Amino acid sequence: MTPISIRREAVARACLKRFEGRQMQFGSADCVRLAAHAMHKLNVPVPLLKGVRYRSELGAAKALNAAGFADLAEAMDAMGFARIAPAMAWPGDIVAGRSRDDGPFRYALSVVHEYGAKRTIAFGPNGFCGVGTPDLTNPDDVFAWRVSHG
């Protein structure tokens, strides 16, 4: 194993340690905080979240809109990471897939657990965080970003 792969697998383990089994709670245990934790563990600053506080879905949607983004994929693009095919994703990279139809964010973020995004760490439909298999069947609904580490 290379030092980069060891570090990235440690990032995935750190995300699991912090979030696995936790119930979704806006502002402290949600997909944005999960992705930010992975970035932090890769020594990547997350300036978009500096000073941003929210405790509800409505508060999170207002914060996203106030920052000038239509959805979470736009916010991830603003981070400056290269978009990649999900099949190219490494542990610690970020994947966005369609969220529920009536939700204000359009996408939900997850952290890659296994190479190729075969499994990701995410908050599932049951509201709890865990490792699961993302739906990668429709490439128009799934985006991935290579999180460049510092």
Side-chain angles (χ1 to χ4, degrees), residues 23-142:
Q23 187 170 13
M24 215 280 289
Q25 183 177 349
F26 284 101
S28 61
D30 58 37
C31 71
V32 171
R33 299 297 175 187
L34 171 65
H37 187 66
M39 289 180 235
H40 172 76
K41 290 296 182 180
L42 286 167
N43 295 324
V44 174
V46 188
L48 297 177
L49 289 178
K50 188 169 179 82
V52 175
R53 304 270 186 262
Y54 54 90
R55 293 283 175 229
S56 66
E57 183 177 62
L58 179 60
K62 284 181 179 179
L64 184 68
N65 290 333
F69 303 114
D71 57 44
L72 290 176
E74 276 188 17
M76 282 301 301
D77 283 336
M79 290 291 300
F81 302 131
R83 271 203 193 191
I84 58 172
M88 295 174 55
W90 297 341
D93 286 339
I94 307 298
V95 173
R98 283 282 184 193
S99 64
R100 64 178 214 270
D101 290 336
D102 64 339
F105 310 107
R106 290 182 43 197
Y107 299 94
L109 304 178
S110 61
V111 174
V112 175
H113 184 263
E114 290 181 19
Y115 287 90
K118 290 179 182 164
R119 294 171 50 87
T120 60
I121 304 163
F123 286 89
N126 65 356
F128 289 89
C129 187
V131 177
T133 306
D135 181 4
L136 304 176
T137 56
N138 187 348
D140 294 333
D141 286 344
V142 182

